[in-house]
Amino acid sequence: MINLKKNGKYPPGIQGDGHILWIENSVKDFSNLLVQQCSPKIILDIGSLNGIESVFLADIFPEARIFAFEANPEAYKITKNITNEIDNITLYNFAVSDVDKIGNFFVTPNMGTSSTLQPIGGPAGEEFEEISTKFTRIDTWAIKNKIQTIDAVWMDVQGAEEAVLSGFGSLLSGVKVLKTEIGKKAYYKNHSLKDSILPYLDGMNPFKINSESMWEDDIIFVRK
């Protein structure tokens, strides 16, 4: 297991060794499916939170470039702290969506439920601080960075899945493996739910459910 502790403590959002092991196993499942599809060169971690998944992906795929995106300023600092010495991780402090603009981002007391969408209860609660941040489409970002193909996507975007997937444009058709939450019950305003997310993944099969709840399922999809 990679040592992810700083000063003897895990970063916020980690509940101990068992939680780290669960994340590591989930990333390994994702990675095992990916190597069956291709030798990945470009992997995106959208909504990186504390950067743990990026660290595991960078370790498994040292020849790949890992691009992590995190809009929450505090989460960005945490991710930067654990990834700044890993050469194949590049971190961005902005939100991914279906528009290129400056927009509102909702920071919640539970860092992991912060979102581009306003919380309305449930797991995200109703307390938040509204801040301003940069929004970008992935296809816009890819053009600026001269990236033509994205091999894999690990995303955790708290209800904004439809907007993020829309912002890939034609690049989405090249993604071989994708992990996302599929919402069942809204806890954000304009929360993406199953019926609005699955059409974007029509060319992919749900392969493994990482976790299930009354609110959402966390699923790995693989290109058909």
Side-chain angles (χ1 to χ4, degrees), residues 118-191:
Q118 180 179 328
I120 56 172
E126 296 180 342
E127 183 181 348
F128 59 83
E129 175 189 359
E130 195 169 344
I131 66 171
S132 180
T133 194
K134 177 183 175 181
F135 282 52
T136 191
R137 294 174 57 93
I138 285 297
D139 54 8
T140 302
W141 166 84
I143 290 170
K144 289 180 179 178
N145 289 276
K146 299 180 179 179
I147 291 171
Q148 298 180 340
T149 302
I150 296 165
D151 297 305
V153 178
W154 182 286
M155 55 185 271
D156 187 349
V157 294
Q158 297 304 118
E161 292 81 12
E162 181 180 5
V164 172
L165 293 171
S166 176
F168 273 77
S170 62
L171 287 171
L172 190 58
S173 64
V175 175
K176 311 298 190 302
V177 180
L178 181 145
K179 194 284 306 183
T180 185
E181 291 175 338
I182 301 292
K184 298 176 178 177
K185 185 176 179 181
Y187 55 96
Y188 297 97
K189 189 175 181 180
N190 299 320
H191 193 137

Side-chain angles (χ1 to χ4, degrees), residues 81-129:
N81 187 41
I82 73 165
T83 64
N84 61 1
E85 295 182 359
I86 303 176
D87 292 339
N88 61 330
I89 297 178
T90 302
L91 175 63
Y92 296 93
N93 185 203
F94 53 71
V96 174
S97 191
D98 58 349
V99 291
D100 300 310
K101 68 174 187 177
I102 301 299
N104 296 326
F105 186 80
F106 299 88
V107 178
T108 57
N110 174 0
M111 191 169 61
T113 59
S114 298
S115 178
T116 57
L117 305 178
Q118 180 179 328
I120 56 172
E126 296 180 342
E127 183 181 348
F128 59 83
E129 175 189 359

Side-chain angles (χ1 to χ4, degrees), residues 206-217:
F207 187 87
K208 179 179 174 59
I209 298 177
N210 283 338
S211 63
E212 300 175 87
S213 76
M214 65 176 288
W215 299 97
E216 63 222 348
D217 294 336

